Amino acid sequence: MGRFMIAVLPGDGIGPEVIAEALRVLEAIGHCFGHRFEFHEALIGGAAIDATGSPLPPETLERCRRSDAILLGAVGGPKWDDPTAPVRPEQGLLGLRKAFDLFANLRPVRVFPAMVHATPLKEGIVRGVDILFVRELTGGLYFGPRQEAGPDGNEAYDTMRYTRPEIERVVRLAARLAQGRRKKLTSVDKANVLAASRLWRQVTEAVIRREFPALALEHILVDAFAMHLIRRPAVFDVVVTENMFGDILTDEAAVLAGSMGMLPSASLGETPLGLFEPVHGSAPDIAGRNLANPIGAILSGALMLRYSFGLEAEAQAIERAVEAVLAAGYRTPDIADGETCIVGTREMGEAIARYILKEWKG
Ligand code: IPM
Ligand code: MG
Protein backbone atom coordinates (compact mmCIF):
# COMPACT_ATOMS: atom_id res chain seq x y z
CA MET A 1 0.00 0.00 0.00
CA GLY A 2 1.85 3.01 -1.19
CA ARG A 3 1.43 6.73 -1.10
CA PHE A 4 2.73 8.59 -4.12
CA MET A 5 3.01 12.30 -4.92
CA ILE A 6 2.45 13.10 -8.57
CA ALA A 7 3.10 16.49 -10.17
CA VAL A 8 0.37 16.93 -12.80
CA LEU A 9 1.20 19.31 -15.65
CA PRO A 10 -1.76 19.35 -18.07
CA GLY A 11 -0.29 22.04 -20.35
CA ASP A 12 -2.02 23.19 -23.54
CA GLY A 13 -4.59 22.13 -26.13
CA ILE A 14 -5.90 18.62 -25.50
CA GLY A 15 -3.41 18.18 -22.62
CA PRO A 16 -5.93 18.90 -19.83
CA GLU A 17 -8.58 16.60 -21.36
CA VAL A 18 -6.37 13.56 -21.79
CA ILE A 19 -4.71 14.06 -18.40
CA ALA A 20 -8.12 14.14 -16.70
CA GLU A 21 -8.73 10.63 -18.06
CA ALA A 22 -5.29 9.39 -17.02
CA LEU A 23 -6.07 10.60 -13.48
CA ARG A 24 -9.46 8.90 -13.55
CA VAL A 25 -7.77 5.60 -14.43
CA LEU A 26 -5.07 6.05 -11.77
CA GLU A 27 -7.81 6.71 -9.19
CA ALA A 28 -9.41 3.41 -10.17
CA ILE A 29 -6.06 1.64 -9.74
CA GLY A 30 -5.56 3.28 -6.32
CA HIS A 31 -9.01 2.14 -5.29
CA CYS A 32 -8.51 -1.49 -6.37
CA PHE A 33 -4.94 -1.97 -5.19
CA GLY A 34 -5.04 0.20 -2.05
CA HIS A 35 -2.62 2.96 -3.08
CA ARG A 36 -2.97 6.65 -2.49
CA PHE A 37 -2.05 8.88 -5.40
CA GLU A 38 -1.80 12.57 -4.52
CA PHE A 39 -2.13 14.82 -7.55
CA HIS A 40 -0.66 18.33 -7.45
CA GLU A 41 -1.29 20.49 -10.52
CA ALA A 42 1.24 22.96 -11.87
CA LEU A 43 1.63 25.13 -14.95
CA ILE A 44 3.76 24.42 -18.00
CA GLY A 45 4.02 25.55 -21.63
CA GLY A 46 1.72 28.16 -23.14
CA ALA A 47 -0.60 28.09 -20.12
CA ALA A 48 2.40 28.96 -17.93
CA ILE A 49 3.55 31.73 -20.31
CA ASP A 50 0.09 33.31 -20.16
CA ALA A 51 -0.05 33.16 -16.37
CA THR A 52 3.55 33.95 -15.44
CA GLY A 53 5.54 34.89 -18.54
CA SER A 54 7.68 31.74 -18.24
CA PRO A 55 7.02 28.32 -19.86
CA LEU A 56 8.55 26.60 -16.81
CA PRO A 57 7.95 28.73 -13.70
CA PRO A 58 10.09 28.07 -10.59
CA GLU A 59 7.00 26.90 -8.66
CA THR A 60 6.48 24.16 -11.23
CA LEU A 61 10.07 23.00 -10.96
CA GLU A 62 9.79 23.01 -7.18
CA ARG A 63 6.55 21.04 -7.30
CA CYS A 64 8.20 18.45 -9.56
CA ARG A 65 11.25 18.26 -7.32
CA ARG A 66 9.03 17.40 -4.36
CA SER A 67 7.13 14.68 -6.27
CA ASP A 68 7.69 11.00 -6.97
CA ALA A 69 6.78 11.39 -10.65
CA ILE A 70 5.61 13.94 -13.21
CA LEU A 71 2.60 13.41 -15.47
CA LEU A 72 2.42 15.84 -18.40
CA GLY A 73 -0.21 16.45 -21.10
CA ALA A 74 1.12 18.46 -24.03
CA VAL A 75 2.57 21.89 -24.76
CA GLY A 76 2.31 24.37 -27.62
CA GLY A 77 -0.25 25.89 -29.94
CA PRO A 78 -0.73 28.57 -32.63
CA LYS A 79 -1.24 31.24 -29.98
CA TRP A 80 2.44 31.03 -29.01
CA ASP A 81 3.86 30.21 -32.45
CA ASP A 82 5.29 33.63 -33.32
CA PRO A 83 8.91 32.91 -34.39
CA THR A 84 10.06 36.23 -32.93
CA ALA A 85 8.57 35.58 -29.47
CA PRO A 86 11.24 35.53 -26.73
CA VAL A 87 9.84 32.35 -25.15
CA ARG A 88 8.10 29.27 -26.52
CA PRO A 89 5.94 26.66 -24.76
CA GLU A 90 8.28 23.85 -25.92
CA GLN A 91 11.07 25.38 -23.83
CA GLY A 92 9.08 24.35 -20.75
CA LEU A 93 9.18 20.70 -21.75
CA LEU A 94 12.82 20.78 -22.86
CA GLY A 95 13.75 22.60 -19.64
CA LEU A 96 12.02 19.96 -17.54
CA ARG A 97 13.82 17.11 -19.31
CA LYS A 98 17.14 18.88 -18.80
CA ALA A 99 16.47 19.98 -15.20
CA PHE A 100 16.00 16.38 -14.05
CA ASP A 101 18.58 14.93 -16.44
CA LEU A 102 15.97 12.66 -18.03
CA PHE A 103 18.29 11.32 -20.70
CA ALA A 104 16.31 8.28 -21.83
CA ASN A 105 12.92 8.54 -23.46
CA LEU A 106 11.13 5.19 -23.67
CA ARG A 107 8.45 5.00 -26.34
CA PRO A 108 6.88 1.56 -26.56
CA VAL A 109 5.01 0.87 -29.79
CA ARG A 110 2.73 -2.12 -29.45
CA VAL A 111 0.00 -3.00 -31.87
CA PHE A 112 -3.03 -4.25 -29.97
CA PRO A 113 -4.72 -7.17 -31.81
CA ALA A 114 -7.97 -5.20 -32.06
CA MET A 115 -6.13 -2.40 -33.84
CA VAL A 116 -4.51 -4.21 -36.77
CA HIS A 117 -7.16 -2.78 -39.11
CA ALA A 118 -6.75 0.78 -37.83
CA THR A 119 -3.56 1.51 -39.76
CA PRO A 120 -3.12 2.38 -43.43
CA LEU A 121 -0.52 -0.43 -43.60
CA LYS A 122 -1.34 -4.04 -44.41
CA GLU A 123 -2.48 -6.15 -41.49
CA GLY A 124 0.30 -8.68 -42.08
CA ILE A 125 2.90 -5.97 -41.60
CA VAL A 126 1.68 -4.54 -38.30
CA ARG A 127 0.49 -7.74 -36.61
CA GLY A 128 2.63 -8.60 -33.60
CA VAL A 129 4.64 -5.37 -33.62
CA ASP A 130 6.22 -4.76 -30.22
CA ILE A 131 9.06 -2.20 -30.38
CA LEU A 132 10.58 -0.27 -27.53
CA PHE A 133 12.21 2.92 -28.74
CA VAL A 134 14.83 4.44 -26.46
CA ARG A 135 15.41 7.98 -27.63
CA GLU A 136 18.33 9.94 -26.17
CA LEU A 137 16.64 13.04 -24.74
CA THR A 138 19.09 15.58 -23.34
CA GLY A 139 21.78 15.84 -26.01
CA GLY A 140 22.31 16.13 -29.76
CA LEU A 141 20.75 18.81 -31.95
CA TYR A 142 18.25 19.83 -29.26
CA PHE A 143 20.93 20.93 -26.80
CA GLY A 144 24.12 21.42 -28.77
CA PRO A 145 25.79 24.79 -29.43
CA ARG A 146 23.45 27.01 -31.44
CA GLN A 147 23.06 30.40 -32.96
CA GLU A 148 19.77 32.14 -33.58
CA ALA A 149 19.57 34.22 -36.76
CA GLY A 150 20.83 37.73 -35.98
CA PRO A 151 19.16 40.99 -37.06
CA ASP A 152 20.34 40.39 -40.64
CA GLY A 153 18.59 37.01 -40.58
CA ASN A 154 21.27 35.42 -42.76
CA GLU A 155 22.52 32.54 -40.68
CA ALA A 156 21.44 30.23 -37.88
CA TYR A 157 22.70 26.86 -36.74
CA ASP A 158 22.24 23.95 -34.34
CA THR A 159 24.91 21.41 -33.56
CA MET A 160 24.68 17.65 -33.09
CA ARG A 161 27.16 17.08 -30.33
CA TYR A 162 27.54 13.95 -28.22
CA THR A 163 30.05 12.90 -25.59
CA ARG A 164 31.07 9.33 -24.79
CA PRO A 165 29.37 9.28 -21.33
CA GLU A 166 26.12 10.62 -22.83
CA ILE A 167 26.07 7.76 -25.32
CA GLU A 168 27.17 5.13 -22.81
CA ARG A 169 24.42 5.81 -20.29
CA VAL A 170 21.53 5.70 -22.75
CA VAL A 171 22.90 2.63 -24.53
CA ARG A 172 23.31 0.84 -21.18
CA LEU A 173 19.74 1.62 -20.24
CA ALA A 174 18.49 0.36 -23.62
CA ALA A 175 20.63 -2.77 -23.33
CA ARG A 176 19.24 -3.58 -19.87
CA LEU A 177 15.72 -3.29 -21.26
CA ALA A 178 16.63 -5.50 -24.23
CA GLN A 179 17.95 -8.15 -21.84
CA GLY A 180 14.50 -8.38 -20.27
CA ARG A 181 12.86 -8.71 -23.69
CA ARG A 182 13.87 -10.49 -26.92
CA LYS A 183 17.58 -9.68 -26.51
CA LYS A 184 17.89 -7.73 -29.70
CA LEU A 185 19.16 -4.15 -29.88
CA THR A 186 19.06 -1.99 -32.99
CA SER A 187 21.08 1.21 -32.95
CA VAL A 188 20.07 3.85 -35.49
CA ASP A 189 22.56 6.47 -36.68
CA LYS A 190 23.96 8.24 -39.74
CA ALA A 191 27.54 7.07 -39.38
CA ASN A 192 28.24 7.32 -43.11
CA VAL A 193 27.96 11.12 -42.88
CA LEU A 194 27.97 12.46 -39.30
CA ALA A 195 30.92 12.49 -36.91
CA ALA A 196 28.60 12.38 -33.91
CA SER A 197 27.06 9.22 -35.36
CA ARG A 198 30.46 7.58 -35.84
CA LEU A 199 31.21 8.15 -32.16
CA TRP A 200 27.71 6.87 -31.33
CA ARG A 201 28.31 3.65 -33.27
CA GLN A 202 31.78 3.07 -31.85
CA VAL A 203 30.68 3.62 -28.23
CA THR A 204 27.56 1.49 -28.66
CA GLU A 205 29.62 -1.35 -30.11
CA ALA A 206 32.09 -1.19 -27.20
CA VAL A 207 29.44 -1.05 -24.45
CA ILE A 208 27.51 -4.01 -25.83
CA ARG A 209 30.57 -6.14 -26.55
CA ARG A 210 32.03 -5.51 -23.07
CA GLU A 211 28.95 -5.47 -20.86
CA PHE A 212 26.12 -7.21 -22.73
CA PRO A 213 27.69 -9.95 -24.85
CA ALA A 214 24.44 -11.95 -24.92
CA LEU A 215 22.61 -9.24 -26.88
CA ALA A 216 22.35 -9.26 -30.66
CA LEU A 217 23.35 -5.77 -31.80
CA GLU A 218 22.76 -4.31 -35.24
CA HIS A 219 23.48 -0.82 -36.59
CA ILE A 220 21.15 0.65 -39.20
CA LEU A 221 21.44 3.99 -40.96
CA VAL A 222 18.52 6.27 -40.16
CA ASP A 223 17.26 6.63 -43.74
CA ALA A 224 17.20 2.86 -44.26
CA PHE A 225 15.63 2.35 -40.83
CA ALA A 226 12.80 4.75 -41.71
CA MET A 227 11.99 2.38 -44.56
CA HIS A 228 12.40 -0.89 -42.63
CA LEU A 229 10.15 0.50 -39.90
CA ILE A 230 7.12 0.40 -42.17
CA ARG A 231 8.23 -2.56 -44.28
CA ARG A 232 9.11 -5.11 -41.59
CA PRO A 233 8.44 -3.51 -38.18
CA ALA A 234 7.84 -6.83 -36.41
CA VAL A 235 11.56 -7.74 -36.56
CA PHE A 236 12.60 -4.93 -34.19
CA ASP A 237 12.81 -5.28 -30.41
CA VAL A 238 14.64 -2.41 -28.65
CA VAL A 239 15.74 0.50 -30.84
CA VAL A 240 18.17 3.06 -29.44
CA THR A 241 18.91 6.33 -31.20
CA GLU A 242 19.89 9.96 -30.75
CA ASN A 243 17.45 12.73 -29.86
CA MET A 244 16.36 14.11 -33.24
CA PHE A 245 16.23 10.78 -35.09
CA GLY A 246 14.14 9.40 -32.20
CA ASP A 247 11.75 12.34 -32.38
CA ILE A 248 11.11 11.74 -36.07
CA LEU A 249 11.05 7.94 -36.08
CA THR A 250 8.59 7.66 -33.19
CA ASP A 251 6.05 9.83 -35.02
CA GLU A 252 6.46 7.49 -37.97
CA ALA A 253 6.08 4.48 -35.67
CA ALA A 254 2.79 5.87 -34.37
CA VAL A 255 1.26 4.91 -37.70
CA LEU A 256 1.88 1.27 -36.80
CA ALA A 257 -0.16 1.61 -33.60
CA GLY A 258 -3.04 3.23 -35.46
CA SER A 259 -2.70 6.80 -34.21
CA MET A 260 -0.41 9.23 -32.42
CA GLY A 261 -3.09 9.22 -29.74
CA MET A 262 -2.17 5.67 -28.75
CA LEU A 263 1.47 6.12 -27.74
CA PRO A 264 2.77 6.70 -24.21
CA SER A 265 6.26 7.69 -23.15
CA ALA A 266 8.50 7.61 -20.10
CA SER A 267 11.50 9.90 -19.67
CA LEU A 268 13.97 8.50 -17.18
CA GLY A 269 17.30 9.42 -15.62
CA GLU A 270 19.45 7.90 -12.88
CA THR A 271 16.89 8.55 -10.11
CA PRO A 272 13.37 7.08 -9.74
CA LEU A 273 11.78 10.45 -10.64
CA GLY A 274 10.43 10.12 -14.16
CA LEU A 275 8.40 12.26 -16.54
CA PHE A 276 5.47 10.56 -18.22
CA GLU A 277 3.65 12.01 -21.20
CA PRO A 278 1.79 10.91 -24.30
CA VAL A 279 3.85 11.15 -27.50
CA HIS A 280 1.21 13.26 -29.25
CA GLY A 281 1.15 17.04 -29.22
CA SER A 282 -1.43 19.57 -28.07
CA ALA A 283 -3.70 19.14 -31.17
CA PRO A 284 -5.24 22.64 -30.90
CA ASP A 285 -7.65 21.87 -33.76
CA ILE A 286 -9.62 19.39 -31.63
CA ALA A 287 -8.96 20.84 -28.16
CA GLY A 288 -11.89 21.21 -25.77
CA ARG A 289 -14.25 19.14 -27.90
CA ASN A 290 -14.09 15.74 -26.21
CA LEU A 291 -12.55 14.27 -29.38
CA ALA A 292 -8.98 13.48 -28.30
CA ASN A 293 -7.77 9.94 -27.73
CA PRO A 294 -6.76 9.64 -24.05
CA ILE A 295 -5.10 6.21 -24.43
CA GLY A 296 -1.56 7.63 -24.86
CA ALA A 297 -1.98 9.57 -21.61
CA ILE A 298 -3.59 6.62 -19.81
CA LEU A 299 -0.79 4.26 -20.90
CA SER A 300 1.73 6.89 -19.77
CA GLY A 301 0.13 6.47 -16.33
CA ALA A 302 0.87 2.74 -16.62
CA LEU A 303 4.53 3.48 -17.44
CA MET A 304 4.69 5.72 -14.37
CA LEU A 305 3.47 2.87 -12.16
CA ARG A 306 6.03 0.52 -13.73
CA TYR A 307 9.15 2.68 -13.93
CA SER A 308 8.84 5.25 -11.13
CA PHE A 309 6.84 3.29 -8.53
CA GLY A 310 7.78 -0.32 -9.33
CA LEU A 311 4.09 -1.34 -9.48
CA GLU A 312 4.22 -3.90 -12.29
CA ALA A 313 0.90 -5.65 -11.60
CA GLU A 314 -0.89 -2.30 -11.48
CA ALA A 315 0.76 -1.17 -14.73
CA GLN A 316 -0.36 -4.37 -16.42
CA ALA A 317 -3.89 -3.89 -15.10
CA ILE A 318 -4.09 -0.60 -17.03
CA GLU A 319 -2.61 -2.15 -20.17
CA ARG A 320 -5.02 -5.09 -20.02
CA ALA A 321 -7.95 -2.72 -19.48
CA VAL A 322 -6.98 -0.69 -22.56
CA GLU A 323 -6.68 -3.86 -24.59
CA ALA A 324 -10.07 -5.13 -23.37
CA VAL A 325 -11.88 -1.86 -24.08
CA LEU A 326 -10.41 -1.75 -27.59
CA ALA A 327 -11.39 -5.39 -28.13
CA ALA A 328 -14.93 -4.46 -27.03
CA GLY A 329 -15.01 -1.98 -29.92
CA TYR A 330 -14.62 1.40 -28.21
CA ARG A 331 -12.90 3.89 -30.51
CA THR A 332 -12.16 7.59 -30.39
CA PRO A 333 -12.55 9.26 -33.81
CA ASP A 334 -8.81 9.05 -34.65
CA ILE A 335 -8.91 5.24 -34.57
CA ALA A 336 -12.49 4.65 -35.71
CA ASP A 337 -12.94 2.29 -38.65
CA GLY A 338 -16.64 2.64 -39.32
CA GLU A 339 -18.20 -0.36 -37.66
CA THR A 340 -17.16 0.21 -34.04
CA CYS A 341 -18.56 2.25 -31.16
CA ILE A 342 -17.27 5.83 -31.48
CA VAL A 343 -16.83 7.56 -28.14
CA GLY A 344 -15.37 10.78 -26.79
CA THR A 345 -12.31 11.37 -24.65
CA ARG A 346 -14.29 11.12 -21.43
CA GLU A 347 -16.26 8.03 -22.40
CA MET A 348 -13.05 6.21 -23.38
CA GLY A 349 -11.49 7.08 -20.00
CA GLU A 350 -14.63 6.01 -18.17
CA ALA A 351 -14.79 2.68 -20.01
CA ILE A 352 -11.16 1.89 -19.10
CA ALA A 353 -11.63 2.91 -15.45
CA ARG A 354 -14.86 0.91 -15.26
CA TYR A 355 -13.13 -2.20 -16.58
CA ILE A 356 -10.42 -1.87 -13.91
CA LEU A 357 -12.97 -1.43 -11.11
CA LYS A 358 -14.92 -4.45 -12.34
CA GLU A 359 -11.89 -6.75 -12.77
CA TRP A 360 -9.71 -5.84 -9.81
CA LYS A 361 -12.00 -4.70 -7.04
CA GLY A 362 -11.28 -7.44 -4.49
C1 IPM B 1 8.14 15.14 -28.56
C2 IPM B 1 7.82 16.52 -29.05
C3 IPM B 1 8.83 17.49 -28.44
C4 IPM B 1 10.21 17.09 -28.95
C5 IPM B 1 8.54 18.98 -28.70
C6 IPM B 1 7.16 19.37 -28.26
C7 IPM B 1 9.58 19.85 -28.03
O1 IPM B 1 7.83 16.55 -30.44
O2 IPM B 1 8.14 14.92 -27.34
O3 IPM B 1 8.39 14.25 -29.38
O4 IPM B 1 10.58 17.47 -30.07
O5 IPM B 1 10.92 16.38 -28.23
MG1 MG C 1 8.03 14.64 -31.34
Side-chain angles (χ1 to χ4, degrees), residues 191-213:
N192 54 345
V193 176
L194 303 175
S197 275
R198 284 192 284 275
L199 179 67
W200 180 282
R201 189 175 284 213
Q202 183 197 321
V203 171
T204 301
E205 192 69 41
V207 167
I208 302 304
R209 201 155 0 90
R210 251 194 338 256
E211 302 170 34
F212 304 90

Side-chain angles (χ1 to χ4, degrees), residues 83-349:
T84 62
V87 287
R88 297 185 56 92
E90 290 78 5
Q91 288 165 350
L93 180 53
L94 298 175
L96 203 55
R97 292 169 177 172
K98 199 69 176 175
F100 295 102
D101 206 11
L102 303 169
F103 61 83
N105 183 219
L106 279 50
R107 297 187 163 185
V109 180
R110 256 181 73 201
V111 177
F112 291 103
M115 295 285 296
V116 291
H117 309 289
T119 99
L121 297 167
K122 292 198 186 93
E123 203 183 308
I125 288 184
V126 298
R127 193 177 288 284
V129 164
D130 181 5
I131 308 175
L132 178 54
F133 280 89
V134 180
R135 167 189 174 193
E136 201 289 328
L137 203 59
T138 49
L141 278 173
Y142 278 62
F143 293 98
R146 66 167 57 200
Q147 176 72 59
E148 299 284 343
D152 63 355
N154 278 333
E155 189 187 349
Y157 61 80
D158 304 274
T159 317
M160 188 188 288
R161 176 174 173 275
Y162 272 105
T163 64
R164 180 178 293 274
E166 280 175 327
I167 301 167
E168 282 174 345
R169 62 184 186 173
V170 71
V171 167
R172 274 195 195 108
L173 195 143
R176 264 181 243 124
L177 291 165
Q179 273 187 323
R181 294 171 46 107
R182 304 195 300 279
K183 299 199 166 36
K184 181 173 169 193
L185 183 65
T186 302
S187 172
V188 177
D189 63 35
K190 186 73 183 174
N192 54 345
V193 176
L194 303 175
S197 275
R198 284 192 284 275
L199 179 67
W200 180 282
R201 189 175 284 213
Q202 183 197 321
V203 171
T204 301
E205 192 69 41
V207 167
I208 302 304
R209 201 155 0 90
R210 251 194 338 256
E211 302 170 34
F212 304 90
L215 288 187
L217 170 67
E218 64 177 349
H219 304 278
I220 303 189
L221 296 173
V222 62
D223 46 353
F225 182 82
M227 179 185 66
H228 293 309
L229 184 58
I230 46 171
R231 219 147 114 180
R232 46 180 193 103
V235 306
F236 299 112
D237 180 9
V238 176
V239 177
V240 65
T241 189
E242 69 89 39
N243 203 345
M244 185 73 169
F245 296 160
D247 179 45
I248 298 168
L249 293 172
T250 51
D251 268 33
E252 186 191 352
V255 177
L256 305 169
S259 161
M260 283 293 283
M262 297 291 296
L263 296 196
S265 88
S267 302
L268 309 176
E270 305 284 9
T271 75
L273 178 80
L275 163 65
F276 302 86
E277 51 169 327
V279 171
H280 64 70
S282 61
D285 52 322
I286 58 163
R289 294 163 58 198
N290 198 37
L291 290 172
N293 184 347
I295 291 179
I298 290 168
L299 291 175
S300 298
L303 296 184
M304 178 172 81
L305 300 181
R306 172 171 296 131
Y307 292 113
S308 274
F309 305 160
L311 301 175
E312 179 58 31
E314 289 83 340
Q316 282 183 25
I318 295 181
E319 290 162 351
R320 297 229 313 264
V322 168
E323 184 157 0
V325 164
L326 289 171
Y330 287 80
R331 297 286 187 277
T332 42
D334 58 313
I335 50 174
D337 60 4
E339 64 238 17
T340 45
C341 164
I342 299 180
V343 297
T345 311
R346 218 161 26 243
E347 293 71 27
M348 181 61 98

